[in-house]
Amino acid sequence: MRPFAFQRPDSLAHAHELTVPEDATAVAGGTNLLDLMKLQVETPERLVDINRLGMTEIQETADGGLRIGALATNTATANDDRVRADYPVLARAILAGATQQLRNRATTGGNLCQRTRCYYFTNIDQPCNKREPGSGCGAIDGIAHLHAVLGTSPSCIATYPGDMAVALSALDATVEIASPDSDERSVPVRDFHLLPGDTPCRDNVLERGEIITAVTLPRPVKAKHLYRKVRERSSYAFALVSVAAIVAVEDGVIARADLAFGGLAHKPWHDARLSELLVGEAPSAALFDKAGDLLLEGARGYGENDFKIPLARRTLAAVMAEATETEI
Amino acid sequence: MSKTITVNGTERPIPSDPRVSLLDFLRENEGLTGTKKGCDHGQCGACTVIVNGMRINSCLTLAAMHDGDSVTTIEGLGTPTSPSPLQVAFVEHDGFQCGYCTPGQICSATAMLDEIAAGFASDASEDLLGEMQASPEEIRERMSGNLCRCGAYANIVTAIREIAQGDA
Ligand SMILES: Cc1cc2nc3c(=O)[nH]c(=O)nc-3n(C[C@H](O)[C@H](O)[C@H](O)COP(=O)(O)OP(=O)(O)OC[C@H]3O[C@@H](n4cnc5c(N)ncnc54)[C@H](O)[C@@H]3O)c2cc1C
Ligand code: SF4
Ligand code: FES
Ligand code: FES
């Protein structure tokens, strides 16, 4: 690890001031950042520990939703009784990720901002446009097993690796952000992560010095919540494909189908056309197949990850079949 | 103002170099070599210790981030003359071969039994809000952050089950 100065601000204002300069990075649980600092993928000259800013509470909001502090641990969130009862897709997604030891440290904000697990990104001897703009992409034409099939660019085909944010996307949660120059801004989770485009070095919309303060969930809805994570072993592995689903059936037709997908893109993938297609229709294998067509329209494999296209289609169908109690 | 961590009940100064991980602090500064370094990247669990009652990977956190915290390591759980119940069960059921992962396994299992008692859910729990059981499936899922290169898993689960059932 490169030498760095360590700072522990007590106020948000001070944290902004310390993290605006290019050479500073905020640390919360440290489970992603310190790992990358050991690999010299991240080399901040100043590390700003934000753990003294509070922001650990999980509180009900005025309109019946839930506000989860940026420094609430993943364990605290997944075991909050309101999350378990009203937003089980979120509890399930968190519990399907990492391990208990990691979840005990990992935070809401850090989890949202976790970086890709692309092997070229984490190896400083390899080309990577995300780590070093202009150096090329090792994964296109290389080892691309974990990589994206939707929303890729000629610069980068990395995936956003997390689980929690996939559930947050299905729930249409909002990220609360404190900015150095203004007050708070709110960004829907669905717009928080970016596609790689020409600037894969940017994972999300955060500007320098901005700090996530919380994630807000809308009022709960009566529906079935499912999180299905397909991975290479049944615990402690990143998703190849995951599906978060909030689905309701009324009088034999689908009344709600909020879906988001992990492992497919540089962000949790949400396609509003899917619920438009599904809602109002009777559940059937043929309908789920059409949803698969729509989801994967424009999908492109890069050799090693070609399997993700049929896998995503089948996982979508399996989750919809379970949620609607339909035989497929 | 001096910064300290309480290690197994004793207050200890935090090293001045902020790069020192909690793991290196315990092993190099404190001489507590029970806590092991397997991967140094959060992947194996050999470095598991209990901080303020919660198990964590000591390799992925800095000592400097733990000013005022209380850490329990394997040395703090029991001694050769007065081992903890889980330590006894690991010996009785051959819950190890080379022993390298064992301190992490035992710290992890100690905290895990408290988590089950507190009603924490896992990916293996059918009902997120129900009473949590130390079934073999639950133990395997909850202990998945502790790898064992010798593959002593079957006996590790047996040892933990014995103590979990004794507690019930
Ligand atoms: C072995 C291993 C397996 C894993 N498996 C999974 C898995 O299966 N699924 C999964 O989802 N995750 C997995 N993870 C990743 C884990 O979930 C993340 O490391 C964790 O959520 C990061 O949270 P943190 O608080 O420790 O972040 P940190 O490491 O502290 O920070 C990560 C990034 O977020 C930024 N940041 C943190 N908080 C804020 C804030 N409030 N405002 C602005 N920026 C902020 C930091 O500057 C940094 O860039 C795994 C990790 C490991 C090591
Ligand atoms: S896929 Fe993205 S992160 Fe991976 S090597 Fe290419 S540019 Fe880097
Ligand atoms: S040494 Fe910490 S998890 Fe392997
Ligand atoms: S006993 Fe050898 S690694 Fe577990």
Side-chain angles (χ1 to χ4, degrees):
Chain A
M1 222 187 271
R2 299 270 184 81
F4 56 82
F6 185 70
Q7 297 164 309
R8 301 191 96 185
D10 289 312
S11 72
L12 207 46
H14 194 203
H16 287 315
E17 193 186 307
L18 292 176
T19 52
V20 165
E22 287 279 335
D23 64 353
T25 304
V27 64
T31 60
N32 189 223
L33 183 60
L34 294 172
D35 194 3
L36 294 171
M37 284 171 66
K38 290 181 188 194
L39 297 167
Q40 300 196 12
V41 171
E42 306 248 24
T43 52
E45 281 168 31
R46 287 179 305 109
L47 194 62
V48 181
D49 178 357
I50 59 174
N51 284 292
R52 289 195 172 152
L53 302 185
M55 310 198 299
T56 56
E57 305 82 17
I58 303 177
Q59 295 162 312
E60 274 144 61
T61 60
D63 58 357
L66 206 59
R67 185 176 190 276
I68 301 171
L71 290 169
T73 63
N74 281 180
T75 294
T77 303
N79 288 296
D80 182 278
D81 281 346
R82 294 159 297 191
V83 173
R84 290 195 276 190
D86 297 334
Y87 307 96
V89 67
L90 178 58
R92 288 282 174 203
I94 293 174
L95 294 172
T99 65
Q100 186 70 47
Q101 286 99 311
L102 289 160
R103 294 190 299 267
N104 285 346
R105 285 294 291 168
T107 64
T108 317
N111 195 320
L112 277 172
C113 297
Q114 65 177 291
R115 311 221 55 194
T116 185
R117 309 304 283 201
C118 170
Y119 333 99
Y120 299 89
F121 173 72
T122 52
N123 182 343
I124 57 167
D125 298 326
Q126 296 291 332
C128 170
N129 288 325
K130 184 183 276 299
R131 180 170 33 74
E132 203 172 322
S135 63
C137 170
I140 297 177
D141 302 324
I143 299 170
H145 188 63
L146 288 175
H147 289 70
V149 294
L150 288 169
T152 56
S153 80
S155 301
C156 177
I157 60 169
T159 50
Y160 170 76
D163 293 290
M164 180 191 81
V166 179
L168 292 176
S169 173
L171 286 164
D172 196 14
T174 305
V175 186
E176 313 289 345
I177 300 167
S179 306
D181 42 6
S182 58
D183 296 339
E184 287 240 323
R185 62 179 180 125
S186 299
V187 177
V189 163
R190 292 172 185 172
D191 301 332
F192 178 77
H193 296 97
L194 300 170
L195 287 178
D198 298 334
T199 50
C201 51
R202 291 199 69 186
D203 289 348
N204 56 52
V205 300
L206 287 182
E207 303 284 348
R208 289 229 56 90
E210 284 192 323
I211 305 233
I212 299 171
T213 55
V215 165
T216 307
L217 309 181
R219 165 203 285 280
V221 290
K222 268 254 162 307
K224 207 170 249 179
H225 287 221
L226 293 177
Y227 188 74
R228 177 83 59 96
K229 179 173 178 179
V230 183
R231 42 185 159 171
E232 277 161 343
R233 52 174 188 247
S234 62
S235 184
Y236 200 12
F238 284 92
L240 295 171
V241 171
S242 72
V243 182
I246 302 164
V247 177
V249 177
E250 277 166 28
D251 305 323
V253 299
I254 297 172
R256 171 181 285 276
D258 299 329
L259 302 170
F261 301 82
L264 297 181
H266 201 255
K267 58 184 291 185
W269 193 259
H270 173 263
D271 184 337
R273 295 176 306 167
L274 289 181
S275 54
E276 282 163 27
L277 172 83
L278 293 163
V279 169
E281 300 290 327
S284 70
L287 180 68
F288 305 155
D289 217 37
K290 259 201 233 166
D293 288 341
L294 198 56
L295 169 72
L296 295 157
E297 192 184 83
R300 163 173 179 198
Y302 292 82
E304 283 200 347
N305 69 347
D306 290 349
F307 73 93
K308 283 193 176 183
I309 297 172
L311 185 61
R313 171 185 294 278
R314 289 180 199 150
T315 313
L316 164 61
V319 165
M320 283 306 297
E322 184 179 343
T324 59
E325 294 173 25
T326 306
E327 295 259 349
I328 55 167
Chain B
M1 213 172 43
S2 77
K3 302 192 184 313
T4 60
I5 304 183
T6 302
V7 180
N8 298 328
T10 309
E11 252 188 74
R12 304 293 303 157
I14 292 177
S16 55
D17 186 340
R19 285 179 297 178
V20 177
S21 67
L22 181 60
L23 172 60
D24 287 342
F25 163 73
L26 292 169
R27 291 182 55 86
E28 309 296 331
N29 296 62
E30 298 302 305
L32 295 171
T33 52
T35 308
K36 299 291 187 255
K37 184 183 285 190
C39 64
D40 214 21
H41 287 282
Q43 299 175 352
C44 75
C47 67
T48 303
V49 297
I50 304 171
V51 175
N52 301 340
M54 305 292 270
R55 51 177 162 153
I56 67 168
N57 303 100
S58 60
C59 68
L60 283 191
T61 190
L62 301 172
M65 295 172 80
H66 292 281
D67 184 17
D69 285 354
S70 179
V71 182
T72 303
T73 68
I74 189 73
E75 291 89 348
L77 288 179
T79 61
T81 49
S82 162
S84 80
L86 270 168
Q87 287 173 323
V88 174
F90 268 66
V91 172
E92 258 170 29
H93 294 282
D94 273 341
F96 49 83
Q97 289 174 36
C98 76
Y100 198 81
C101 70
T102 314
Q105 299 279 2
I106 293 177
C107 283
S108 201
T110 302
M112 182 203 65
L113 293 177
D114 291 341
E115 289 155 11
I116 290 181
F120 282 21
S122 87
D123 193 37
S125 312
E126 228 144 85
D127 179 359
L128 286 175
L129 286 154
E131 196 180 319
M132 298 300 158
Q133 308 289 340
S135 64
E137 297 70 37
E138 282 277 12
I139 292 173
R140 282 196 280 270
E141 166 57 28
R142 290 169 189 265
M143 292 294 293
S144 73
N146 291 87
L147 306 188
C148 174
R149 287 305 290 267
C150 299
Y153 296 111
N155 296 354
I156 292 171
V157 173
T158 307
I160 297 173
R161 280 272 282 172
E162 181 187 278
I163 303 306
Q165 284 163 340
D167 281 356

